[in-house]
Amino acid sequence: MSTVESDLDVPAPARAAGSSPDAELTAARMARVGDLDVRRLLPLRQRRSVGAWCFVDHYGPASVDGVAGMQVPPHPHIGLQTVTWLIEGTVLHRDSLGSEQLIRPGQLNLMTAGRGIAHSEESPEDHDPSLHGVQLWLALPDAHRQAAPDFAHHADLPAVRLGGLDAVVFAGSLAGVTSPARVFTAVVGAELSAPADAHGAVPLAPGHEHVIFSASGTAAADGTGLAPGSLLYLPPGRESVRLDARAGARLFLLGGEPLGETLLMWWNFVGRTPDDIAAAARDWAAGARFGRVTGYRGAPLPAPPLDPVRLARKAR
Ligand code: MN
């Protein structure tokens, strides 16, 4: 997906009521992506990334019955991987490498932007009536942010049962199972669903920081209530988290080794300096670097106006 705003004016985290002193519960900001209302859970002003996860949008469930649905025209990315995961519905991805891939629930689309790629995302003409999913970004570490662009689709992902929760591991490792998806830092990305009321401990890597959020239904993480629209942050140093989930709940666990790099995020670009961002915006406007997405009916997205003063302030 494509962001429509920067992370300049995002809320500061509040302490979670009744949680351990170092856990933070924050509320999503509402944003609009095309015709879809999205709950933006990351970035936060005081937290641009959790591990390498630097962007978390949760949208739907929304009815797209008889309407165009998701229509995100071609737009560019640098310095990140897009992690696309659906809970309901279908989305068609096209990119400037020539990839064309329909994604369904339980599958992963992983696009590595590296030095530059462009893509479009749309509800196919003949789509399911409901759309529900998450759009996540993983920042590429400095050593790999100029990597060659790549796209991969993974329909067969490892699953593990944890205290009555069915976990599908789409990125990195959890409880001894590892996703085949290529990532560039030590992370975890998993969907945990509760077919019935579930209670159990989910193992965490003590060196990692984590976030947990609900996409459907209610749950508690170490006693802190979770419902769609809120995000719980757990700092490093934890060996597990206790989850109590009601039947039908669907949670996401994201985490990783703290990145230790200051990201500069603007529009769909993740860089380090204002020059990285300005060069990418210039190249997109000039039709250079990113290649061309074919097959999308509609014009590419222009970048929003770039304010060098604000960008420089943000880079500090
Ligand atoms: Mn995108």
Side-chain angles (χ1 to χ4, degrees), residues 1-2 72 75-77 82 111 119 121 137 268:
M1 289 227 267
S2 172
V72 182
H75 60 277
H77 287 286
T82 60
M111 185 179 77
H119 73 147
E121 290 159 299
W137 294 355
N268 298 304

Side-chain angles (χ1 to χ4, degrees), residues 19 130 193 262:
S19 67
S130 183
S193 52
T262 302

Side-chain angles (χ1 to χ4, degrees), residues 50-273:
V50 174
W53 299 101
C54 61
F55 183 86
V56 176
D57 265 4
H58 168 219
Y59 56 90
S63 171
V64 290
D65 200 13
V67 298
M70 181 185 288
Q71 297 294 328
V72 182
H75 60 277
H77 287 286
I78 62 165
L80 57 86
Q81 295 180 288
T82 60
V83 173
T84 302
W85 186 263
L86 294 179
I87 299 162
E88 291 177 74
T90 43
V91 168
L92 180 64
H93 160 98
R94 302 179 208 261
D95 66 43
S96 51
L97 301 175
S99 318
E100 183 174 325
Q101 179 68 53
L102 187 71
I103 182 171
R104 297 179 182 284
Q107 304 178 341
L108 170 69
N109 273 2
L110 179 69
M111 185 179 77
T112 303
R115 60 179 171 264
I117 196 169
H119 73 147
S120 64
E121 290 159 299
E122 63 193 290
S123 298
E125 222 161 300
D126 183 19
H127 54 258
D128 290 356
S130 183
L131 187 59
H132 188 193
V134 296
Q135 180 64 61
L136 315 171
W137 294 355
L138 277 168
L140 289 170
D142 196 45
H144 293 283
R145 66 192 181 92
Q146 306 296 337
D150 186 53
F151 175 79
H153 175 76
H154 295 277
D156 190 18
L157 292 162
V160 58
R161 191 150 173 103
L162 297 168
L165 291 157
D166 291 323
V168 179
V169 182
F170 54 79
S173 300
L174 177 67
V177 304
T178 299
S179 164
R182 186 184 186 207
V183 293
F184 292 81
T185 53
V187 295
V188 59
E191 182 197 60
L192 305 122
S193 52
D197 285 357
H199 311 276
V202 172
L204 303 176
H208 291 191
E209 54 186 345
H210 296 85
V211 287
I212 303 173
F213 65 95
S214 170
S216 297
T218 57
D222 284 344
T224 298
L226 294 176
S230 63
L231 181 81
L232 182 69
Y233 171 80
L234 301 172
R238 314 267 315 229
E239 291 188 346
S240 67
V241 59
R242 180 183 167 77
L243 293 180
D244 299 284
R246 300 301 299 267
R250 198 177 289 264
L251 311 177
F252 285 81
L253 170 68
L254 306 176
E257 212 162 34
L259 193 59
E261 297 178 23
T262 302
L263 304 176
L264 181 58
M265 293 175 61
W266 182 84
W267 195 38
N268 298 304
F269 303 142
V270 176
R272 299 295 184 278
T273 67

